[in-house]
Amino acid sequence: MAEKKYVLAIDQGTTSSRAIIFDHKGTIVATGQKEHEQIFPRAGWVEHNPIEVWDNVRAVVGEALANGSMNKHEIHAVGITNQRETTVVWDKNTGEPVYNAIVWQDTRTGKIVEELGGEVGQDKYKDRVGLPLATYFCGPKVKWILDNVEGARERAEAGDLIMGTMDTWVLWNMTGGVNGGVHVTDVTNASRTMLMDLKTLDWDPEIAADMTIPMSMLPEIRSSAETYGVGREQGLLAGVPIAGILGDQQAATFGQACFEPGMAKNTYGTGNFMLMNTGTEIVPSKNGLLTTVCYKIGDQAPIYALEGSIAVTGSLVQWLRDNLRMFDSAPEVETLAATVEDNGGAYFVPAFSGLFAPYWRADARGAIVGLTRYVNRGHIARAVLEATAYQSREVLDAMEADSGVKLAELKVDGGMTANETLMQFQADQLGVDVVRPVVAETTALGAAYAAGIATGFWGGEQDVIDNWAEAKRWSPKMEEGERARLYRQWKKAVTRTFDWVDEDSNE
């Protein structure tokens, strides 16, 4: 038998699924990646085909094993990380989804959310679940499917339908599907459904009843690091323990070794997500942030976090590429932005699916403001990059206000951290150093660590700390007056996006 010297992470993301194999030092050995279709049936609706995603997960696992010239006998354990609030409902007897997965960015549940809030409004469940009532989260998505897909409610009440975030869908299929598939999620994903009590880490029957979701649909909630099951007999990972699950942003926080209260990371992906570890304390937000579970290792106490979720950052660059055809590949945005010295007075507020933290305005829509005849493509490209930095600053300001902790530096990861212009501007706007680690794939790495810690491949958090290494640091260079002026203008631009959606809008 080959020596089990690697851990495989499955990263089921918003735009693609990846499999990454890590060695004991936390170094990437082999990868596989495949994009899936983004389905936009109507304005504000975003869907994925769960069958396509599952097919892609199997394909990328095979690709990673082939690229690493290895097989299941060298894999010690598997960790799963996922786009968190994206929701699937499927038939447990056939394995068939009753509808496409409704993606976290989707805004179709606006009216459901309003009705649930009633006279109390968006804070109705916040003291229990740490989240405002918003289209972002899973519960209302499940209600929408049960209300709108023919026969779904009857099947759900008969006990035939089950639901889950993408980790649950992947795990159920990996462990056998209709033949004994394990229906489980972890505390980090459960904390994004709007259905889990943060204190008890159990489903809240009263909220489920409000949302007309049968309790029988909900997966069992487990820790982020324990063995949930093993790979199905006919799969590429037959018999390998699947032992770690973390929602993508919590996984990145874990991979960045943010284990002390007050430590924070920002991930630059489709959207941006900043998390600050608050330790075993649940910190309610007064400034538009989310209170969420950061991670729970086996039987240890849960660790909580404050989170600022930004809906559109990297996807704004994709929008320039795909919808406006400004360039052919995403990295070219930096080349275009470098043709000008500043934004030319233009600001781009990408409220494509409303505004998330710290505003939570479902009625907002995207706007480019400050346009004059002087503004060209370069200025627009620059405004797109700057929008990411401004939104991150808004979240950090809220985080410092809620936690009372002044951040010393910000750890960053994700695809956009390769963009030097953006990273320097981010440091300038925050007024603190921005630090990128050697392994920027911290999301997959965090899931790998959780699985490896659960199965004894790594000893615990200290191994994660020892493996973490700094690759690059950006320090603020901008003069304080200019920093303040730019941010003031940005804040003004944001207010111009409010109240756009009317009662009779189709978006």
Side-chain angles (χ1 to χ4, degrees):
M1 289 284 281
E3 190 192 343
K4 292 188 180 295
K5 52 190 178 188
Y6 305 109
V7 173
L8 184 145
I10 292 166
D11 179 356
Q12 202 301 292
T14 307
T15 56
S16 70
S17 300
R18 293 184 298 177
I20 304 184
I21 298 169
F22 295 95
D23 65 15
H24 199 269
K25 291 196 182 82
T27 306
I28 294 173
V29 177
T31 65
Q33 179 165 0
K34 201 166 184 191
E35 289 195 3
H36 54 263
E37 186 187 358
Q38 305 297 311
I39 303 163
F40 305 106
R42 286 169 54 176
W45 293 28
V46 192
E47 299 175 2
H48 295 154
N49 177 345
I51 300 291
E52 181 193 7
V53 170
W54 167 233
D55 287 346
N56 286 3
V57 165
R58 285 154 55 204
V60 297
V61 167
E63 195 182 322
L65 290 169
N67 289 341
S69 301
M70 61 183 76
N71 61 30
K72 66 179 185 186
H73 299 300
E74 290 164 278
I75 305 297
H76 196 275
V78 177
I80 298 172
T81 182
N82 59 295
Q83 44 161 336
R84 295 170 299 177
E85 299 78 8
T86 297
T87 308
V88 198
V89 173
W90 72 96
D91 189 311
K92 67 181 185 185
N93 307 306
T94 65
E96 289 294 317
V98 300
Y99 189 79
N100 276 337
I102 300 182
V103 179
W104 56 273
Q105 302 141 308
D106 189 286
T107 58
R108 77 185 69 187
T109 57
K111 288 207 165 40
I112 291 174
V113 161
E114 238 173 79
E115 285 161 16
L116 283 167
E119 287 173 18
V120 184
Q122 64 179 187
D123 287 346
K124 185 172 180 182
Y125 307 122
K126 200 170 180 189
D127 58 335
R128 279 183 272 175
V129 301
L131 313 171
L133 264 164
T135 58
Y136 183 21
F137 306 109
C138 308
K141 299 182 199 298
V142 177
K143 176 172 168 53
W144 187 93
I145 290 172
L146 297 183
D147 288 349
N148 289 279
V149 175
E150 198 179 336
R153 182 162 296 287
E154 293 73 19
R155 290 162 70 191
E157 283 167 1
D160 292 330
L161 299 189
I162 54 179
M163 64 75 70
T165 38
M166 297 307 277
D167 58 303
T168 302
W169 168 247
V170 169
L171 177 70
W172 187 80
N173 281 295
M174 283 186 77
T175 52
V178 293
N179 300 311
V182 176
H183 188 221
V184 158
T185 191
D186 90 302
V187 285
T188 67
N189 281 291
S191 76
R192 316 302 289 199
T193 58
M194 229 180 203
L195 297 164
M196 186 190 84
D197 186 305
L198 280 178
K199 296 183 190 75
T200 64
L201 306 184
D202 286 326
W203 300 120
D204 186 307
E206 190 189 327
I207 300 176
D210 283 358
M211 296 192 192
T212 65
I213 298 169
M215 294 290 285
S216 59
M217 293 182 74
L218 305 177
E220 183 187 348
I221 302 173
R222 304 269 281 273
S223 82
S224 313
E226 60 177 272
T227 299
Y228 315 106
V230 298
R232 64 205 170 98
E233 274 179 34
Q234 66 274 44
L236 287 171
L237 297 166
V240 179
I242 302 162
I245 299 176
L246 287 154
D248 53 10
Q249 304 314 320
Q250 285 92 337
T253 309
F254 201 83
Q256 284 273 36
C258 293
F259 298 130
E260 295 298 320
M263 293 179 83
K265 70 88 208 176
N266 198 20
T267 296
Y268 296 73
T270 303
N272 263 36
F273 302 89
M274 192 183 294
L275 270 77
M276 178 186 277
N277 182 323
T278 62
T280 53
E281 186 188 357
I282 297 172
V283 178
S285 175
K286 296 181 178 67
N287 294 282
L289 300 180
L290 311 177
T291 305
T292 196
V293 180
C294 196
Y295 58 88
K296 183 182 189 306
I297 302 302
D299 296 333
Q300 295 174 27
I303 300 298
Y304 295 93
L306 280 168
E307 174 175 337
S309 310
I310 303 165
V312 177
T313 56
S315 55
L316 182 55
V317 177
Q318 286 179 324
W319 183 84
L320 276 197
R321 181 193 69 190
D322 301 341
N323 292 38
L324 298 194
R325 305 285 170 90
M326 270 201 192
F327 37 77
D328 295 324
S329 66
E332 290 175 62
V333 70
E334 185 169 17
T335 314
L336 190 53
T339 62
V340 294
E341 286 182 11
D342 54 35
N343 64 15
Y347 291 79
F348 196 145
V349 186
F352 291 162
S353 43
L355 288 167
F356 283 16
Y359 300 100
W360 300 104
R361 296 288 298 246
D363 61 3
R365 283 298 174 270
I368 307 175
V369 299
L371 295 182
T372 60
R373 282 290 300 272
Y374 170 68
V375 172
N376 63 32
R377 291 164 68 235
H379 295 116
I380 300 293
R382 193 167 185 98
V384 161
L385 296 182
E386 290 184 356
T388 296
Y390 293 132
Q391 291 182 99
S392 295
R393 177 174 171 185
E394 288 183 312
V395 163
L396 183 64
D397 286 353
M399 213 164 257
E400 291 184 340
D402 274 339
S403 67
V405 176
K406 187 90 178 97
L407 204 67
E409 63 180 28
L410 182 66
K411 290 181 170 183
V412 299
D413 53 69
M416 288 179 90
T417 61
N419 191 310
E420 294 277 337
T421 307
L422 170 60
M423 289 297 101
Q424 183 55 55
F425 191 77
Q426 186 70 84
D428 289 340
Q429 271 302 309
L430 296 181
V432 297
D433 284 7
V434 168
V435 188
R436 185 178 70 204
V438 172
V439 179
E441 299 295 350
T442 52
T443 301
L445 184 56
Y449 279 139
I453 287 170
T455 55
F457 186 75
W458 285 293
E461 288 96 319
Q462 192 57 48
D463 282 347
V464 182
I465 295 165
D466 293 344
N467 282 348
W468 191 92
E470 180 180 317
K472 178 116 197 209
R473 179 178 290 264
W474 292 267
S475 298
K477 291 178 183 169
M478 190 177 283
E479 188 264 322
E480 180 55 41
E482 178 65 357
R483 173 178 178 249
R485 183 188 72 79
L486 289 169
Y487 192 51
R488 185 185 74 239
Q489 292 286 111
W490 162 261
K491 288 290 219 184
K492 196 193 292 186
V494 171
T495 63
R496 302 300 193 263
T497 70
F498 295 167
D499 297 314
W500 184 260
V501 179
D502 294 328
E503 276 297 305
D504 58 355
S505 296
N506 288 323
E507 27 195 317

